[in-house]
């Protein structure tokens, strides 16, 4: 049972998504993903495969939404694994017009189950990923509440992204580059804004509009910027002025406020 705040009856974050919720226009692409992952990654390499994002949540829109996949490998990913994943992405993206891009994440099970990643990648698999193939690692992970620790370890590293965003904005020469940047920046900012207030809000949501509103209730002076980011996340923009607001104003403020409220994410190697 899931509550309206994204929690189960015991107050833990309920796993979102299900293969039963995949919208019918995306069913052929999901079937192809399953088949081609099995062909490209044999059992001695693949521990499990997962879908995440709007497709398993049932909110995907044909020709607008992407298809997101995570592969848990029995070893840490190699260059050959990444090349196979890249080929999988390109083939599926070309074949299925309903999908606006395919993304495949690769991680070793050792990383996903590590203590360092317990409240980041571990939580991501346990709560935001839908099993597609193989053994479900969620069975070996804890249950999660919307705590300050979870907030810190999921999004407490926003400051590290800001220099790269500034460089990409300055160097962007095409509309495609600006749209790609706007999508990445806006999604990251809305999710970070939500997890800033997640413990006091008392639940979980992946809905970007709801995330912005949850944040706006606690930070009304930044509400307009959060709503701007949520709108751009749904409809990427080429407006440099809007992107500058996100990268040079909301981003730095949010990183500083996050560090003050929840602290900074534990450094990764």
């Amino acid at each position: 049972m899931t509550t309206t705040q994204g929690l189960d009856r015991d107050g833990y974050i309920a796993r979102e998504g299900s293969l039963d919720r995949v919208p019918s226009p995306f069913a052929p692409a999901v079937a192809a993903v399953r088949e081609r992952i099995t062909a490209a990654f044999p059992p001695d390499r693949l521990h499990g495969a997962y879908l995440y994002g709007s497709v398993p949540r049932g909110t995907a829109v044909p020709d607008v939404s992407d298809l997101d996949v995570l592969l848990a490998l029995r070893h840490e990913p190699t260059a050959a694994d990444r090349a196979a994943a890249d080929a999988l992405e390109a083939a599926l993206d070309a074949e299925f017009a309903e999908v606006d891009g395919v993304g495949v994440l690769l991680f070793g099970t050792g990383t996903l189950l590590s203590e360092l990643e317990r409240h980041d990648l571990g939580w991501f698999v346990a709560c935001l990923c839908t099993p597609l193939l193989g053994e479900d690692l969620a069975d070996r992970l804890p249950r999660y509440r919307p705590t300050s620790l979870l907030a810190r370890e999921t999004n407490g590293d926003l400051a590290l992204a800001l220099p790269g965003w500034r460089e990409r904005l300055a160097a962007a020469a095409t509309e495609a580059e600006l749209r790609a940047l706007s999508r990445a920046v806006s999604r990251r900012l809305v999710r970070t804004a939500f997890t800033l207030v997640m413990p006091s809000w008392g639940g979980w949501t992946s809905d970007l509009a709801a995330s912005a509103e949850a944040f706006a209730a606690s930070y009304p002076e930044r509400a307009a910027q959060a709503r701007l980011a949520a709108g751009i996340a749904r409809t990427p923009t080429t407006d440099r002025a809007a992107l500058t607001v996100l990268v040079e104003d909301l981003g730095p403020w949010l990183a500083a406020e996050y560090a003050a409220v929840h602290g900074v994410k534990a450094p990764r190697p």
Side-chain angles (χ1 to χ4, degrees):
M1 176 181 176
T2 303
T3 72
T4 55
Q5 295 282 91
L7 305 180
D8 64 22
R9 66 180 65 191
D10 298 317
Y12 295 99
I13 296 174
R15 194 175 210 172
E16 63 176 30
S18 166
L19 295 182
D20 293 339
R21 298 181 194 170
V22 172
S24 57
F26 292 89
V30 170
V33 164
R34 187 199 302 268
E35 178 182 338
R36 294 179 194 185
I37 288 173
T38 301
F41 293 89
D44 63 331
R45 294 164 67 194
L46 181 71
H47 183 277
Y50 305 80
L51 302 179
Y52 67 95
S54 61
V55 171
R57 289 200 303 269
T59 60
V61 177
D63 306 323
V64 174
S65 299
D66 48 10
L67 179 60
D68 297 310
V69 180
L70 181 146
L71 302 185
L73 303 181
R74 297 187 184 278
H75 53 253
E76 293 305 308
T78 65
D81 293 325
R82 186 64 259 172
D86 290 345
L88 185 69
E89 290 174 347
L92 290 166
D93 192 23
E95 183 171 344
F96 294 96
E98 300 84 0
V99 175
D100 184 21
V102 177
V104 179
L105 298 178
L106 299 176
F107 295 101
T109 55
T111 294
L112 295 172
L113 295 173
S114 68
E115 186 63 31
L116 182 62
E117 294 295 343
R118 182 62 49 86
H119 288 85
D120 188 9
L121 290 176
W123 165 79
F124 180 70
V125 168
C127 295
L128 303 190
C129 288
T130 297
L132 181 67
L133 289 166
E135 179 188 345
D136 184 6
L137 289 175
D139 295 336
R140 298 161 63 181
L141 291 161
R143 299 166 77 190
Y144 296 87
R145 296 187 188 274
T147 63
S148 182
L149 172 61
L150 185 62
R152 186 189 77 206
E153 290 304 305
T154 52
N155 287 302
D157 57 350
L158 178 62
L160 299 179
L162 297 176
W165 288 351
R166 293 189 181 104
E167 291 175 4
R168 287 179 63 184
L169 180 56
T174 67
E175 290 189 347
E177 289 173 335
L178 287 170
R179 287 195 185 94
L181 178 62
S182 73
R183 186 175 192 177
V185 167
S186 58
R187 288 185 174 190
R188 177 74 181 274
L189 290 180
V190 174
R191 288 168 180 156
T192 303
F194 170 70
T195 50
L196 173 63
V197 303
M198 174 184 66
S200 58
W201 191 71
W204 172 261
T205 181
S206 286
D207 183 275
L208 295 174
S211 295
E213 292 309 313
F215 168 81
S218 293
Y219 292 92
E221 71 280 9
R222 293 279 174 173
Q225 291 181 337
R227 290 168 182 144
L228 171 66
I232 291 174
R234 293 189 298 271
T235 307
T237 185
T238 60
D239 185 343
R240 286 183 180 272
L243 281 171
T244 299
V245 168
L246 300 186
V247 171
E248 298 292 351
D249 190 0
L250 179 59
W253 174 85
L254 188 54
E257 182 69 5
Y258 212 98
V261 174
H262 298 302
V264 177
K265 183 175 182 175
R268 267 50 178 175

